[in-house]
Amino acid sequence: MPKTVNRFVVTVVAAAATLLAVGVVVASAHGGPGGGGPGFGGASVSSLVTQAAKDLGVTRAKLVTAIQDSAATRIAAAADDGDITSDQADELKAEAQDNLSYAYAVSETKTVASNLGIATTALNTGFRSARKTLATARIDKALAAGDITADEATALKTKLAGATLPGYKSGGGFGLGGGEFGGGHFGGRR
């Protein structure tokens, strides 16, 4: 298998695993299978993007467009490199327009930042802030619902304050992965 195709197959598998992990974290945050209880996980990509847009001082629509455009650029590059066919690229681009989680998984930090006209450090800072805000809200919600005690909420907030949260892409941690061409649409077919 050519090196570029092999790299693309690995990318597809990694993204599929990331999207599965997001589902498990979201399910556990809502009392479903996956356990874990209250912590830093549980936010959807949509919630993360909405909060990050606020923290970055841009509209949600502008941030979504920057993410979708980054995904489209990445998909086009894969087609140009021969990693996928043009038909596959068209399908993946349509998926990125219809599915924010998919677009987020495929997008690249540097391209999203460029699309917004900001530095990658600013984008990462905005997403770190958004993750912290969402995690704090999750702790507060669990406390209000009686799922945790005030002492547990304080301990979680202390842990959160000392945590180094991921920026735009995460390798885990908050439950939103840094996978790439995911969704299992082409699973390495060429």
Side-chain angles (χ1 to χ4, degrees):
M1 195 178 314
K3 187 175 182 178
T4 57
V5 173
N6 192 19
R7 186 175 64 232
F8 183 71
V9 170
V10 169
T11 300
V12 169
V13 171
T18 296
L19 292 175
L20 177 62
V22 169
V24 169
V25 170
V26 171
S28 69
H30 293 91
F40 302 149
S44 70
V45 171
S46 182
S47 297
L48 179 62
V49 168
T50 298
Q51 185 60 49
K54 291 176 189 174
D55 291 352
L56 290 166
V58 299
T59 66
R60 183 182 194 284
K62 183 173 182 175
L63 181 54
V64 168
T65 298
I67 293 167
Q68 291 169 332
D69 289 351
S70 175
T73 298
R74 187 111 187 259
I75 292 164
D80 290 346
D81 288 346
D83 293 341
I84 58 176
T85 67
S86 67
D87 288 344
Q88 290 169 333
D90 291 343
E91 288 183 46
L92 290 171
K93 287 177 185 178
E95 179 69 14
Q97 287 297 309
D98 294 340
N99 182 338
L100 180 58
S101 294
Y102 180 77
Y104 177 85
V106 175
S107 66
E108 290 184 296
T109 306
K110 66 183 178 182
T111 311
V112 173
S114 177
N115 290 346
L116 291 171
I118 62 175
T120 57
T121 54
L123 181 67
N124 283 323
T125 298
F127 272 79
R128 279 187 193 96
S129 176
R131 291 176 197 281
K132 185 173 186 175
T133 298
L134 293 172
T136 300
R138 183 161 149 49
I139 293 167
D140 291 342
K141 183 177 178 181
L143 177 61
D147 294 335
I148 60 174
T149 66
D151 288 343
E152 290 170 325
T154 299
L156 286 169
K157 287 181 180 182
T158 299
K159 186 176 177 182
L160 177 61
T164 301
L165 299 177
Y168 179 70
K169 292 285 183 131
S170 76
F174 193 65
L176 298 173
E180 301 174 37
F181 297 96
H185 294 287
F186 299 109
R189 281 190 317 191
R190 189 142 192 236

